[in-house]
């Protein structure tokens, strides 16, 4: 059974280290999956540095990282594994900037 490959536009904002690893704007090919699968794909592909940036010590998405799908706004962390990606989707991964 062949798993469809989807091309996802990924942009990293406010994450210079991640941008250096995957490119500020890049197109990633991955097996059909969810937003959570995309994060895992980036970590697997880019190794320890990406893991440090994106994941907390338990392996979950770090609380300082926000994920936006297309123009829908931010996807709640508990929905990342339920949101399927389609070919051509655009994902922004950004640092939550605290302000005062």
């Amino acid at each position: 059974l062949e798993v469809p490959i989807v091309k996802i536009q990924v942009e990293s904002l406010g994450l210079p280290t991640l941008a250096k690893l995957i490119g500020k704007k890049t197109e990633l090919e991955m097996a059909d999956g969810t937003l959570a699968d995309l994060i895992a794909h980036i970590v697997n592909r880019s190794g320890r540095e990406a893991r440090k940036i994106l994941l907390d010590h338990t392996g979950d998405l770090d609380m300082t990282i926000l994920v936006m799908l297309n123009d829908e706004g931010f996807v709640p962390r508990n929905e990342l594994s339920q949101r399927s990606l389609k070919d051509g989707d655009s994902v922004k991964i950004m640092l939550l900037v605290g302000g005062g």
Side-chain angles (χ1 to χ4, degrees):
L1 200 65
E2 215 170 287
V3 180
I5 297 294
V6 292
K7 289 187 168 87
I8 307 296
Q9 307 296 325
V10 179
E11 192 175 347
S12 41
L13 299 170
L15 294 161
T17 321
L18 185 66
K20 221 163 46 197
L21 290 172
I22 67 170
K24 188 160 171 50
K25 266 191 148 143
T26 188
E27 185 177 77
L28 292 180
E29 289 193 356
M30 60 177 263
D32 214 4
T34 63
L35 277 168
D37 296 328
L38 174 68
I39 302 288
H41 176 74
I42 291 171
V43 168
N44 292 338
R45 198 186 107 156
S46 306
R48 187 175 313 171
E49 280 300 302
R51 172 178 292 277
K52 254 194 338 220
I53 300 163
L54 294 173
L55 305 181
D56 63 20
H57 62 283
T58 64
D60 289 326
L61 189 64
D62 194 277
M63 290 312 264
T64 60
I65 302 290
L66 295 171
V67 179
M68 189 185 262
L69 178 57
N70 300 322
D71 297 319
E72 294 172 32
F74 298 112
V75 176
R77 343 178 73 65
N78 59 347
E79 288 177 23
L80 291 174
S81 58
Q82 293 144 33
R83 300 298 285 277
S84 293
L85 292 168
K86 341 181 264 313
D87 198 43
D89 273 349
S90 163
V91 174
K92 290 185 173 75
I93 299 172
M94 59 187 84
L95 189 61
L96 175 66
V97 180

